[in-house]
Amino acid sequence: MQQQVNKPDGTLSLQTIAMPADTNWSGDVFGGWIVSQMDLAGAIHAERFSKGRCATIAINQMSFLVPVKVGDVISCYTKILKVGSTSIQIQIEVWNSHDESRPAKQVTAGLFTFVAVDLEGKKRVIPESVKALF
Ligand SMILES: CC(C)(COP(=O)(O)OP(=O)(O)OC[C@H]1O[C@@H](n2cnc3c(N)ncnc32)[C@H](O)[C@@H]1OP(=O)(O)O)[C@@H](O)C(=O)NCCC(=O)NCCS
């Protein structure tokens, strides 16, 4: 997993703005809010890739590099690192791209694993035809 590089690595899967309701008592955005945005971004990528529903099974690694403030535009970049029989491991980077006059800054990175599931929530095998695209 790459951290503090100059450019985001992966596909832009989600972009949103940090709002006052997302902050703690010191005015910084809750880490949990950022993790939930990353989870959504990873799920979007995993579901598009596996052509169906996916559930988060693990967050294996997570680091917060700098705080996020209200009004910051955060961009979640996702990159599939590994595809198993039912699981998809995704690297997720979050970048703060609020200020157009300055280069975007990486705020966090994490390694998430999703499992392809059917409509009943049971794991499903990712088709070989889909895996071939990885
Ligand atoms: C997703 C779910 C259906 C998987 O069923 P399961 O019987 O537990 O699945 P398995 O233990 O066989 O693991 C499935 C895959 O995930 C991988 N996996 C399991 N635990 C893992 C972990 N801690 N880290 C990384 N990968 C993991 C397995 O290696 C396997 O991969 P593969 O099929 O590609 O080889 C089930 O665990 C579940 O419903 N979990 C809750 C999901 C959820 O609600 N997520 C939202 C969080 S609130």
Side-chain angles (χ1 to χ4, degrees):
M1 186 171 41
Q2 289 189 320
Q3 286 172 17
Q4 282 185 312
V5 289
N6 296 325
K7 262 175 51 179
D9 189 17
T11 304
L12 177 60
S13 292
L14 184 141
Q15 224 171 13
T16 189
I17 301 177
M19 301 292 276
D22 307 318
T23 59
N24 60 23
W25 53 92
S26 37
D28 292 330
V29 166
F30 283 115
W33 178 81
I34 298 170
V35 174
S36 78
Q37 305 311 309
M38 296 169 83
D39 198 26
L40 288 171
I44 288 169
H45 197 149
E47 294 193 353
R48 278 186 186 151
F49 174 77
S50 71
K51 306 199 185 307
R53 207 175 135 189
C54 288
T56 313
I57 195 158
I59 301 174
N60 303 98
Q61 209 175 312
M62 188 81 215
S63 47
F64 292 97
L65 308 172
V66 290
V68 171
K69 304 283 184 189
V70 168
D72 284 353
V73 176
I74 64 143
S75 305
C76 299
Y77 292 85
T78 56
K79 183 179 174 185
I80 296 178
L81 296 185
K82 204 163 81 181
V83 181
S85 168
T86 66
S87 68
I88 304 161
Q89 190 187 60
I90 301 187
Q91 168 190 287
I92 305 175
E93 293 182 358
V94 181
W95 287 70
N96 182 350
S97 52
H98 176 64
D99 189 345
E100 295 284 323
S101 65
R102 279 183 291 181
K105 207 173 191 181
Q106 187 176 355
V107 294
T108 178
L111 210 52
F112 287 57
T113 304
F114 297 87
V115 172
V117 293
D118 62 19
L119 292 177
E120 290 169 351
K122 295 196 182 97
K123 65 186 172 190
R124 66 182 165 89
V125 172
I126 300 166
E128 286 302 323
S129 57
V130 166
K131 276 200 212 174
L133 301 172
F134 169 61

